Amino acid sequence: MTLAAGASSRLQIHDPRERAIVSAADLLLTAGSAVTSPLRRRRRPDNPTRILLLRLERIGDLLMALPAIADVRALAPDAAIDLVVGSWNLPLARAIASVSTVTTLDAAWLAREGGGLGVPALIRAARRWRGRRYDLAFNFEPDLRSNLLVAACGARWTAGYRSGGGGPLLDAALDYDPELHTADNARRLVAAVFGRTAPPPEARLLALPEDARAAAARRLAVRTPLAGLHVSGGRAVKQWEPERFAEVAQRLAYAGATFVLTGAPAPRPLVDAVRRRHPADRVIDVAGEVDLLALASLLERLDVMITGDTGPMHLAAAVGTPVVAIFGPSDPVRYAPRGATDRVIRIDLPCSPCNRIRRPPARCVGHTPDCLAGVEADRVFDAAVAILDRARRLPPGATP
């Protein structure tokens, strides 16, 4: 195997052209590192006092990093821990008890509606962090571009993954294991740097404001079981048919439940397609009305949450609400909720899970992909009822 082929084989990048570009960049970085590494004399700090954590991606990505963030706090209890996130995650990041300071940085490839900074501007921002004199810097994203930011921040020791490119920039570069959950990959990175694992966290990892929790209690002051429905899949390739959400909601209402509709303002037509088919006394519609912390407080009070692979799925899991998660192209091994009563509903096809979310196959564009079209409303309803029955929230004989 040639050097170029070896570098490319480690990259977990589906698009051949993108993989070739990143592989070439890694070869150049490897050559540069071979020249400069004898002069660097870097050593991992034994007792770090200031630590940088980078997690720029979407809501679910930050939430899946919570156990690893808690590990950093447990292994460096006296350190100042700074977390850098996209601005959309600022409220959640401020609710993470393990974090000392939160900074926002929006990358152009992650920001929506054409916002965000390009790589040169991001690197300039990262260089300004040098004044903070970080001992350790972690990048929880397998991505060449964010590895560049960690390398530019001036930390005494840097850690991340080589599988998305940029491994030669780091002091500790792991292969991202696609057979592990995203949360476990992040915890594995922390353990590799500290040389030991942290004990399981004893407290909930999100500290929700009491005023938000009180407001949620007032909003959801009903005696019937509460079932949340997040209709929007976020991306077309992850969108289960709204008509099937509506069918599940209708049957839950007949069984005695009240359902809570959640969502952002943009997919309002999807929410309305479910809402208009049901009596008002069985619907609580908060879609587009609440921020992330208010949504988390509402989700905390639900008896079950029904959703696709979305940020609210991870948010419900983070606050301990049982989830029925409808999976299509997303890989549940990497992304599924893992509570004791959580249920993942999917079908087996030779091509699924392809995990091609940002660049779906051409045959799956313009319609519901087969891996979601094959998920029947009966299975989702039965899973929700099983959770409600287990919690003794439905009266005997209520299921139609």
Side-chain angles (χ1 to χ4, degrees):
M1 180 183 293
T2 65
L3 182 61
S8 179
S9 67
R10 291 195 302 268
L11 298 175
Q12 298 171 19
I13 300 174
H14 184 269
D15 184 80
R17 182 174 178 273
E18 183 180 346
R19 186 169 61 249
I21 293 171
V22 173
S23 178
D26 269 4
L27 287 174
L28 291 173
L29 291 171
T30 300
S33 178
V35 174
T36 60
S37 58
L39 306 175
R40 296 170 72 191
R41 298 180 180 178
R42 292 170 68 87
R43 182 175 179 272
R44 184 179 61 192
D46 293 328
N47 297 297
T49 60
R50 189 148 198 176
I51 301 172
L52 174 69
L53 309 178
L54 195 71
R55 199 50 162 136
L56 300 180
E57 296 184 311
R58 306 308 303 181
I59 295 170
D61 302 297
L62 174 62
L63 291 168
M64 287 186 287
L66 290 181
I69 296 171
D71 287 352
V72 174
R73 171 54 70 204
L75 295 169
D78 299 322
I81 299 176
D82 295 351
L83 175 63
V84 182
V85 300
S87 59
W88 43 85
N89 274 331
L90 179 60
L92 283 181
R94 286 177 170 167
I96 301 174
S98 302
V99 171
S100 308
T101 305
V102 178
T103 300
T104 61
L105 192 64
D106 292 356
W109 63 91
L110 297 170
R112 293 174 179 169
E113 299 178 357
L117 303 175
V119 172
L122 291 171
I123 292 175
R124 287 194 294 271
R127 288 180 64 85
R128 291 194 289 271
W129 302 337
R130 291 181 171 226
R132 303 176 187 177
R133 299 184 180 276
Y134 289 112
D135 295 307
L136 295 177
F138 290 86
N139 179 20
F140 290 124
E141 303 164 15
D143 192 294
L144 167 61
R145 296 162 295 190
S146 47
N147 279 342
L148 285 167
L149 304 188
V150 167
C153 79
R156 294 169 60 195
W157 193 261
T158 57
Y161 307 101
R162 64 168 63 93
S163 305
L169 295 165
L170 305 171
D171 296 299
L174 274 62
D175 286 315
Y176 192 93
D177 188 343
E179 300 301 320
L180 288 181
H181 196 276
T182 300
D184 293 338
N185 267 302
R187 298 190 75 183
R188 176 171 154 261
L189 179 64
V190 174
V193 171
F194 282 94
R196 61 191 190 279
T197 58
E202 297 180 358
R204 185 165 291 178
L205 304 180
L206 279 180
L208 300 180
E210 287 305 317
D211 59 343
R213 300 180 77 189
R218 292 191 297 270
R219 185 72 181 268
L220 301 184
V222 297
R223 296 182 180 275
T224 58
L226 286 167
L229 274 81
H230 189 81
V231 181
S232 172
R235 294 176 183 268
V237 74
K238 295 198 295 181
Q239 182 63 58
W240 197 46
E241 295 172 1
E243 294 77 10
R244 297 190 184 184
F245 272 110
E247 180 181 344
V248 172
Q250 186 173 35
R251 295 176 66 183
L252 286 171
Y254 286 152
T258 297
F259 58 93
V260 180
L261 292 170
T262 65
R268 185 74 231 182
L270 297 176
V271 176
D272 289 340
V274 175
R275 176 176 179 168
R276 62 174 169 257
R277 293 175 55 173
H278 303 285
D281 63 341
R282 288 294 185 187
V283 181
I284 299 174
D285 185 354
V286 301
E289 297 181 8
V290 294
D291 60 23
L292 278 176
L293 292 181
L295 176 60
S297 301
L298 290 166
L299 295 180
E300 186 182 36
R301 301 190 65 82
L302 300 181
D303 298 293
V304 65
M305 177 67 173
I306 303 167
T307 174
D309 172 28
T310 62
M313 177 193 76
H314 294 289
L315 192 56
V319 297
T321 297
V323 177
V324 176
I326 304 158
F327 269 66
S330 301
D331 188 352
V333 170
R334 295 192 189 189
Y335 307 120
R338 301 192 295 178
T341 57
D342 294 339
R343 298 281 301 275
V344 173
I345 310 297
R346 61 179 298 272
I347 62 169
D348 286 316
L349 293 177
C351 58
S352 70
C354 67
N355 219 40
R356 295 176 60 182
I357 307 303
R358 294 179 180 174
R359 296 182 180 179
R363 66 180 181 277
C364 298
V365 176
H367 61 91
T368 302
D370 292 344
C371 55
L372 280 173
V375 176
E376 298 176 347
D378 282 349
R379 292 184 60 201
V380 175
F381 172 75
D382 289 345
V385 167
I387 290 173
L388 293 173
D389 281 345
R390 182 171 179 174
R392 302 183 185 278
R393 292 291 282 130
L394 285 179
T399 305

